[in-house]
Amino acid sequence: MAENFDDEALKYHRMPPAGKLSVTATKPMANQRDLSLAYSPGVAAACRAIVEDEAEAATVTARGNLVAVISNGTAVLGLGSIGPLASKPVMEGKAVLFKKFAGIDVFDIEVDEREVEKFCDIVAALEPTFGGVNLEDIKAPECFEIERCLKERMNIPVFHDDQHGTAIIVSAAVFNALELVKKRFEDVRIVCSGAGAAALACLDMLVNMGARRENITVCDIAGVVYEGRVDEMDPYKARYAQETEARHLAEVIEGADVFLGLSAPGVLKKEMVEKMAADPLIFALANPTPEIWPEDAQAVRPDAIMATGRSDYPNQVNNVLCFPFLFRGALDVGATAINEEMKVACAKAIAALARKEVTEVVAKAYGEIGGFGREHLIPKPFDLRLILEVAPAVAKAAMESGVATRPIDDFEAYRQKLSEFVYRSGTVMKPVFDRAMRDPKRVVFAEGEEARVLRAVQVVVDDGIARPILIGRRSVVQQRIDRLGLRLRIDEDVELCDPESDPRYKTYWTTYQGLMGRKGVSPDLAREEVRTRTTVIGALMVHLGEADALICGTTGQFSKHYKHVADIIGRRSDAHDMSAMNMLILSKGIYFIADTQVSYEPSSEELAELVELASEEVNRFGITPKIAMLSHSNFGISDHPSAKRVRDAVAILRERRPDLEVEGEMHADSALDPELRESIFPDSRLEGRANLLIMPTLDAANIAYNSVKMLGDGLSVGPILVGAAKPAHVLTPSVTARGIVNMTALAVVDAQIHEERAGG
């Protein structure tokens, strides 16, 4: 198995291009002017700006977002002193994690120098290049001296992750574990096995969190670290020497509240664990084989709370929870150092996040896991909220402790900027969210038992976007809220409509039968539909005014949900039909495509109406619609009936809505390439690149939308149903919890506008 894994790992690294990193330009380089701006003569202006004010380096170069990951290869993972060249794959891996989790660029630098003073000279001389330095895989005790020296010499953050990253995660986990077992830092007795860089940094952090140095006993390869010991001693571990007659781990473990292991496999025995205090915390972090296996420890002490460095056990102490987000906060305020206040703030922010419910992304990555508890002391690495919680906490601590050179004035705006890194829809959805939160409306969720819906509703409640109504069986909804670790309270945070017991059942089925009686729906069928079709219930609630908007379609077929909406809610009085539009957020911009779900082959009049309705929705995002009516024909080159339908729709719009910027019929490349369009049809009424693409058929729209979404790594918002008499949106089973949140905000804004129209 190990050989197979090694083979796969080598294939992964050798896949062209070799390694894991590349350098990518961030500015266009398409013509002579771009070249002159990027290099000579334009670059001189950027150089002069830095000469006048060195702080401008953060605005005209990449330095403010660039970190050096530096090693001399003397303590690489579990491989030991393998040298700087062999350490390069690890440093590249660290660089990938910085970029993946926090958007930070990295140059990995492997230095062939073991002598401390010369190594420091090399690294310190690189300061003009970087906004921060991450020291990696440097052996103790040299790593202590290197970090101390570089911190004194450099005016940018210097951080040895093997020490402090581990320490921050351990401190966060201990913080939460002590909360669970109702113990205090200042009261607990800690026994540490190991006295290397990581172990001592962990102890220093725990002291900063409130632990008492006199309550800490350290053991290493030579036994207990005691006052007067000479063998295997250095000034760093001597700080934790105790006046004691004990000489071995077995003699000091009795009554200990916390065991911290950063040493060797198997050093903690079952009989030692038996002697520990009630609810012992056992952090067995030797990798890959811990000081004691969790199952062995819990066999003799079921009350033990375990953490390891392994991913196949709960509570993995993984530095990726820390360093990307710590540096993100430090870089964003131009910190000159990473100090103790910033590290403590980082640990507390990580601990606080673990107490929140598990997100859909984490559940997909790790399977359904429970909420905060003995097996969930710290978040998982793929929890996208880490950057939102940790970076602002670190930035604020940097400002309060006086090491920030570019303080943040508006933390709400800063969090919004970070959220755009996590949620690509953040920028375009912001005006919708802002308006929704000003006047939240009642939104009914037809699939109220579904996990994604419940996770989305938790966000909706927390952010004050809407007043949710869930349709679902009370016992099932409560069970799933508990299983997902959510904080939703039925009848307080959310209203519940239970199809099995709601007293409004008779009103609902009689109303439905009244609406559908001439469409073959008998009273018996009406009773069955209302009892079993939650979208029918939700649509009836909107129809009767008991809810302001409907969200449905997260399970099942779009067409079936849409039919219920069409039958019960119906279309607007000024609309011939409803249509569906999807928004795609791509690296090249934001685009809307319609009709992706409803009208198979719309007439010219229906296409014109679709443009009008879709344009209203685009405006709600604060975007001016630039409309392209797409076809296989390009400005009259074909007289096929399908081309003529599109051409006639454009003529209708020109007469009816001269205020709209619309052009067609045209090819998609003409719509998206202004220069091409200018060369083909100089008289086009469309300026720039189109952003609302109207397709001639449902086939064309659906195929184009799904192809671009996948090939362009697009993020979708929708489907957005336009033309309904009252606000309703039919989603699709591929929608994420975040997508449901987005559509909820849009539904609330739709309800606000509907209310304004009704009042006017």
Side-chain angles (χ1 to χ4, degrees):
M1 182 175 175
E3 289 179 3
N4 290 338
F5 186 79
D6 285 352
D7 289 342
E8 288 297 313
L10 288 172
K11 287 179 183 177
Y12 174 87
H13 284 81
R14 287 170 176 160
M15 186 185 305
K20 300 186 283 284
L21 291 177
S22 68
V23 176
T24 303
T26 60
K27 300 296 186 293
M29 191 67 65
N31 51 47
Q32 178 61 37
R33 181 165 177 78
D34 290 343
L35 181 60
S36 65
L37 291 171
Y39 198 52
S40 179
V43 73
C47 294
R48 287 194 295 269
I50 297 172
V51 170
E52 294 171 7
D53 181 0
E54 290 188 353
E56 288 293 334
T59 70
V60 298
T61 76
R63 183 177 187 259
N65 194 52
L66 185 62
V67 167
V69 171
I70 302 180
S71 179
N72 63 4
T74 53
V76 182
L77 295 176
L79 303 174
S81 183
I82 60 175
L85 184 59
S87 78
K88 189 172 179 64
V90 180
M91 302 311 119
E92 282 192 357
K94 195 69 175 279
V96 170
L97 296 178
F98 266 107
K99 187 67 173 179
K100 166 68 178 176
F101 290 106
I104 294 172
D105 295 316
V106 165
F107 290 160
D108 65 292
I109 299 176
E110 293 74 35
V111 180
D112 191 8
E113 180 56 68
R114 285 171 169 257
E115 202 277 313
V116 169
E117 187 173 346
K118 289 184 179 179
F119 183 90
C120 290
D121 287 342
I122 293 168
V123 176
L126 297 173
E127 182 171 348
T129 306
F130 299 101
V133 171
N134 184 102
L135 298 171
E136 192 77 14
D137 292 351
I138 301 170
K139 75 180 184 73
E142 288 90 336
C143 62
F144 300 117
E145 184 60 25
I146 286 171
E147 186 185 42
R148 184 195 61 77
C149 175
L150 291 176
K151 280 184 172 183
E152 291 176 356
R153 294 178 60 176
M154 302 179 80
N155 202 38
I156 57 175
V158 177
F159 184 78
H160 184 207
D161 187 45
D162 297 314
Q163 291 181 63
H164 309 298
T166 302
I168 288 168
I169 307 307
V170 165
S171 297
V174 172
F175 183 88
N176 275 341
L178 292 179
E179 176 70 22
L180 285 171
V181 299
K182 308 299 181 188
K183 296 181 182 180
R184 302 189 308 167
F185 269 103
E186 54 266 38
D187 297 332
V188 295
R189 194 159 73 80
I190 301 169
V191 172
C192 179
S193 175
L200 295 176
C202 286
L203 296 178
D204 289 345
M205 268 292 291
L206 292 174
V207 169
N208 287 334
M209 299 283 281
R212 292 177 176 169
R213 195 179 297 269
E214 59 266 27
N215 290 344
I216 297 172
T217 305
V218 177
C219 301
D220 63 5
I221 194 169
V224 172
V225 176
Y226 60 90
E227 289 185 359
R229 201 181 92 174
V230 177
D231 294 340
E232 300 287 340
M233 288 296 289
D234 60 57
Y236 304 101
K237 71 176 75 171
R239 291 183 288 115
Y240 287 97
Q242 295 284 13
E243 185 177 346
T244 177
E245 296 298 319
R247 295 295 180 263
H248 303 288
L249 176 62
E251 298 175 64
V252 296
I253 196 67
E254 185 172 356
D257 298 283
V258 181
F259 171 83
L260 175 62
L262 290 122
S263 52
V267 299
L268 185 65
K269 309 301 181 184
K270 285 184 178 182
E271 54 269 25
M272 298 181 189
V273 174
E274 284 184 294
K275 298 177 182 178
M276 293 182 70
D279 294 308
L281 314 184
I282 300 174
F283 284 62
L285 305 182
N287 234 349
T289 305
E291 284 82 359
I292 188 169
W293 291 103
E295 53 267 35
D296 290 339
Q298 289 173 328
V300 295
R301 289 300 298 272
D303 60 336
I305 296 178
M306 290 291 305
T308 70
R310 295 175 60 101
S311 60
D312 52 349
Y313 286 95
N315 298 323
Q316 183 197 16
V317 173
N318 189 331
N319 287 13
V320 78
L321 292 171
C322 163
F323 67 81
F325 318 110
L326 179 64
F327 269 94
R328 180 75 278 156
L331 293 173
D332 289 340
V333 294
T336 57
I338 291 175
N339 57 29
E340 296 306 311
E341 291 90 342
M342 294 161 73
K343 289 187 283 185
V344 169
C346 182
K348 289 184 176 179
I350 291 168
L353 180 56
R355 302 182 186 208
K356 295 186 177 182
E357 59 278 352
V358 174
T359 65
E360 178 188 18
V361 173
V362 172
K364 282 184 177 179
Y366 296 94
E368 290 290 349
I369 56 177
F372 175 61
R374 288 171 172 257
E375 294 191 346
H376 188 65
L377 297 175
I378 44 180
K380 295 292 186 181
F382 283 95
D383 194 325
L384 300 178
R385 297 168 298 181
L386 279 161
I387 194 170
L388 302 177
E389 301 294 332
V390 176
V394 170
K396 189 170 288 186
M399 291 165 55
E400 292 172 352
S401 60
V403 297
T405 61
R406 297 190 303 274
I408 294 169
D409 295 324
D410 186 344
F411 264 87
E412 186 58 37
Y414 178 54
R415 287 189 177 90
Q416 175 63 30
K417 181 181 176 183
L418 294 174
S419 75
E420 291 163 14
F421 178 81
V422 176
Y423 305 115
R424 284 187 289 165
S425 60
T427 302
V428 70
M429 288 300 301
K430 189 176 188 306
V432 178
F433 276 88
D434 288 346
R435 178 164 180 176
M437 287 186 279
R438 286 198 295 268
D439 184 18
K441 299 297 181 183
R442 300 166 299 171
V443 178
V444 58
F445 296 85
E447 293 85 33
E449 297 177 1
E450 219 275 331
R452 285 169 298 163
V453 171
L454 291 170
R455 286 195 172 101
V457 168
Q458 182 70 71
V459 176
V460 167
V461 169
D462 288 345
D463 292 351
I465 297 167
R467 305 203 305 272
I469 304 168
L470 299 177
I471 300 177
R473 294 162 292 177
R474 181 175 291 268
S475 60
V476 175
V477 173
Q478 186 60 62
Q479 182 185 47
R480 291 182 181 172
I481 287 172
D482 294 341
R483 191 190 75 198
L484 296 170
L486 303 178
R487 292 167 283 108
L488 293 173
R489 297 166 298 174
I490 298 174
D491 301 327
E492 293 184 47
D493 298 319
V494 298
E495 181 185 329
L496 184 76
C497 175
D498 187 335
E500 295 182 338
S501 61
D502 197 285
R504 295 169 290 186
Y505 171 64
K506 183 177 180 180
T507 300
Y508 289 163
W509 78 255
T510 55
T511 301
Y512 182 63
Q513 203 275 327
L515 291 169
M516 301 295 292
R518 292 188 178 276
K519 295 183 180 181
V521 176
S522 66
D524 285 344
L525 181 56
R527 292 187 188 95
E528 182 181 346
E529 290 286 280
V530 171
R531 184 72 78 190
T532 60
R533 308 287 183 190
T534 56
T535 295
V536 170
I537 300 172
L540 285 168
M541 294 181 81
V542 173
H543 173 75
L544 292 168
E546 296 175 358
D548 300 306
L550 166 67
I551 297 290
C552 63
T554 57
T555 60
Q557 297 177 8
F558 179 97
S559 59
K560 292 182 178 178
H561 292 282
Y562 172 77
K563 183 178 184 304
H564 295 316
V565 172
D567 286 341
I568 300 168
I569 294 176
R571 57 178 172 77
R572 276 168 44 173
S573 59
D574 61 344
H576 290 86
D577 202 355
M578 290 182 275
S579 305
M581 175 177 71
N582 282 78
M583 178 170 68
L584 277 175
I585 301 170
L586 304 169
S587 60
K588 290 189 174 182
I590 297 166
Y591 300 92
F592 298 84
I593 299 176
D595 171 7
T596 54
Q597 298 286 352
V598 179
S599 303
Y600 285 93
E601 195 166 312
S603 66
S604 298
E605 177 61 39
E606 288 168 338
L607 282 170
E609 181 179 274
L610 169 58
V611 169
E612 293 179 284
L613 295 171
S615 296
E616 287 181 16
E617 290 292 339
V618 173
N619 276 315
R620 285 176 202 178
F621 292 96
I623 297 172
T624 301
K626 293 178 174 291
I627 307 148
M629 307 287 284
L630 300 186
S631 169
H632 74 279
S633 174
N634 205 27
F635 300 109
I637 64 174
S638 171
D639 281 326
H640 188 276
S642 67
K644 190 172 184 303
R645 277 192 300 110
V646 178
R647 194 178 308 147
D648 291 346
V650 175
I652 293 169
L653 287 164
R654 291 273 160 73
E655 181 178 346
R656 197 158 72 200
R657 292 294 305 274
D659 58 306
L660 291 177
E661 189 177 341
V662 58
E663 189 56 273
E665 83 287 11
M666 61 168 57
H667 289 170
D669 54 356
S670 296
L672 300 173
D673 186 342
E675 292 183 7
L676 174 62
R677 185 170 66 250
E678 175 69 18
S679 68
I680 296 171
F681 191 67
D683 297 329
S684 172
R685 292 176 175 85
L686 184 64
E687 294 184 6
R689 181 179 290 176
N691 56 26
L692 174 53
L693 309 178
I694 304 298
M695 302 290 173
T697 66
L698 186 148
D699 278 347
N702 196 275
I703 292 168
Y705 158 69
N706 282 297
S707 298
V708 173
K709 181 177 72 170
M710 299 306 295
L711 296 175
D713 190 27
L715 177 70
S716 172
V717 176
I720 302 166
L721 192 64
V722 298
K726 292 185 177 182
H729 293 291
V730 182
L731 310 185
T732 60
S734 63
V735 71
T736 63
R738 188 66 193 180
I740 297 170
V741 173
N742 286 337
M743 290 306 299
T744 302
L746 192 59
V748 169
V749 174
D750 288 340
Q752 292 170 352
I753 293 171
H754 178 80
E755 185 179 82
E756 291 167 5
R757 284 176 175 160

